[in-house]
Amino acid sequence: GTTMKQALLTLSLVAVTEGFLVQAPPALSRAPTSLADSDQIVSPFDDTQGENGTVATATYTPTDPVELEEGPLDLTEENVEKVLDEMRGYLIADGGNVAITEIDGPVVRLELQGACGTCPSSTQTMKMGLERRLKERIPEIQEVIQAMPEGPDLTNDEINVVLDGVRPFLQVAGGTIEIDKIEGLDSLQPTIWLDMRGSSASLSSVKLEIAQRLQRHFMMSGLRVEWV
């Protein structure tokens, strides 16, 4: 009786245990056994987890223009273009593009074109997107700088060219605007301090419009406009 029941129970447990050990979990993937098995690679742009816990695979194959990530690349113009091609599609989709303007030692200078060049988030696109990816693939790169088209020198006369375009509208409301000072002329983020008086001085929309006109005029991504 009791001994026979215990023996049957033990055999049942062993059978169940062996069943789990023999049958591989369905979520596990096998290692590639041939080159054909490894043709599909993990996309550098998609490392999301699927519902079954597996990593999503890339949609391109080794025959695509973007080569496989087999290790760090040398710092050459060809390799920089190769990495930029990985991200160029996202910029083009937003109406922009990117071009190499200069490679000076470990510093790469890029120009954001089209909508990306005038976007307020262009600095974030350059630093958090392009620079980050380029440094990952080409470790020799120390810095990526945004190149801007040449604009006029930052002087009082050139600032007044812009301000003269808005003064008539301010004068209608009894307002005025004057230059207070310019700081950081030799820095990456020069600052224009303006003194605006009258009813328009409290309107943030007016200040924003003036700041944007100055940034477009001087073509400086780091130009700041402050108010006294």
Side-chain angles (χ1 to χ4, degrees):
T2 303
T3 303
M4 181 63 70
K5 290 181 180 179
Q6 290 177 344
L8 291 174
L9 178 60
T10 302
L11 289 173
S12 299
L13 291 174
V14 170
V16 171
T17 303
E18 288 181 347
F20 279 109
L21 291 175
V22 171
Q23 183 179 2
L28 294 179
S29 58
R30 60 187 178 86
T33 56
S34 66
L35 289 177
D37 290 332
S38 59
D39 279 350
Q40 270 313 113
I41 63 169
V42 175
S43 169
F45 307 105
D46 187 4
D47 57 357
T48 56
Q49 296 287 327
E51 292 182 0
N52 60 353
T54 57
V55 178
T57 55
T59 56
Y60 65 86
T61 65
T63 58
D64 288 328
V66 180
E67 293 192 359
L68 307 182
E69 292 190 30
E70 296 178 348
L73 300 173
D74 293 331
L75 177 52
T76 65
E77 184 172 347
E78 180 183 0
N79 284 338
V80 172
E81 284 284 5
K82 185 183 301 182
V83 178
L84 291 177
D85 283 342
E86 299 177 13
M87 301 171 283
R88 192 168 263 122
Y90 297 101
L91 301 177
I92 293 174
D94 287 336
N97 208 333
V98 62
I100 303 171
T101 60
E102 182 184 16
I103 297 178
D104 183 10
V107 178
V108 177
R109 191 180 298 271
L110 303 177
E111 179 184 351
L112 289 174
Q113 301 172 333
C116 294
T118 57
C119 174
S121 302
S122 61
T123 301
Q124 183 178 4
T125 299
M126 180 67 67
K127 292 296 180 182
M128 299 302 294
L130 302 178
E131 181 179 61
R132 180 177 179 181
R133 182 60 178 165
L134 283 167
K135 285 183 174 181
E136 286 177 354
R137 298 289 285 117
I138 309 175
E140 292 178 60
I141 296 176
Q142 293 183 3
E143 187 177 11
V144 177
I145 298 175
Q146 182 176 355
M148 300 294 291
E150 290 293 330
D153 292 335
L154 184 56
T155 64
N156 283 2
D157 289 342
E158 287 294 336
I159 294 173
N160 277 316
V161 168
V162 178
L163 298 184
D164 285 343
V166 299
R167 283 189 172 112
F169 301 99
L170 297 178
Q171 290 171 357
V172 170
T176 61
I177 186 169
E178 300 296 337
I179 304 168
D180 182 68
K181 59 185 175 181
I182 305 174
E183 291 182 335
L185 278 174
D186 297 326
S187 69
L188 295 175
Q189 287 190 320
T191 304
I192 301 173
W193 287 86
L194 299 176
D195 183 8
M196 185 163 60
R197 307 290 178 90
S199 57
S200 299
S202 60
L203 298 178
S204 57
S205 58
V206 174
K207 292 181 177 179
L208 179 61
E209 173 64 23
I210 294 171
Q212 290 177 342
R213 289 193 182 197
L214 287 166
Q215 289 166 346
R216 288 195 298 266
H217 182 76
F218 291 104
M219 298 182 181
M220 294 181 178
S221 61
L223 180 62
R224 297 173 55 194
V225 178
E226 302 289 348
W227 306 86
V228 297

